[in-house]
Amino acid sequence: LDLNQLEVGRLSVDEDFYINVDYVDMRPLEMAYPEIHYDYLDIQIPLTATEKMAYATTSEKFTLRESKPGNDIAFFQEIPDSILKVQPGQFVIFFPQEFHSPIIGDGKIKKVVVKVKY
């Protein structure tokens, strides 16, 4: 499977496994509020640009901004201190309840997020 050839959108395999292909504007760090997921882990794969991702351990405390359990996501207020640079050809895995802030940078990025029920 050539990930670069996938069209933007959601590819459903089954209820426990699906792929989101996004083409989005990246954002500055100060706008990258962290998220967690309740049931699914993320495998994040940048395709067209280097992407920064902020992250934090589950032991760190963050203030809840918005929770959407039906969409498997919650957003928090504080920006994590640790930053990863993930280049095309690399990937990172975030497990449920791990704080992460993807799509940090300049310009647009095409990326794949594989969602696997955990």
Side-chain angles (χ1 to χ4, degrees):
L1 179 64
D2 183 352
L3 297 177
N4 291 297
Q5 298 301 315
L6 295 175
E7 293 192 26
V8 172
R10 179 175 168 155
L11 302 167
S12 294
V13 177
D14 62 40
E15 64 187 42
D16 294 335
F17 177 82
Y18 62 95
I19 299 169
N20 286 329
V21 181
D22 299 314
Y23 184 64
V24 295
D25 291 314
M26 289 193 277
R27 57 193 171 172
L29 178 62
E30 61 270 9
M31 305 259 319
Y33 299 110
E35 62 190 55
I36 63 163
H37 303 290
Y38 299 104
D39 299 316
Y40 286 81
L41 66 80
D42 279 359
I43 304 169
Q44 302 225 1
I45 309 165
L47 299 177
T48 60
T50 298
E51 176 182 6
K52 293 179 186 171
M53 298 180 197
Y55 69 96
T57 66
T58 55
S59 63
E60 294 183 53
K61 302 295 182 206
F62 290 96
T63 306
L64 183 65
R65 288 174 50 114
E66 181 180 12
S67 179
K68 297 180 178 182
N71 292 337
D72 191 50
I73 197 163
F75 296 97
F76 294 82
Q77 184 63 41
E78 298 80 8
I79 306 298
D81 291 331
S82 299
I83 306 289
L84 294 169
K85 282 178 114 175
V86 187
Q87 300 175 355
Q90 298 177 325
F91 67 91
V92 67
I93 299 173
F94 294 109
F95 286 85
Q97 306 296 322
E98 288 185 326
F99 296 98
H100 59 286
S101 303
I103 59 173
I104 300 168
D106 296 314
K108 292 185 92 59
I109 186 170
K110 183 177 181 184
K111 67 178 293 182
V112 169
V113 180
V114 179
K115 307 289 283 186
V116 181
K117 189 145 189 177
Y118 185 70

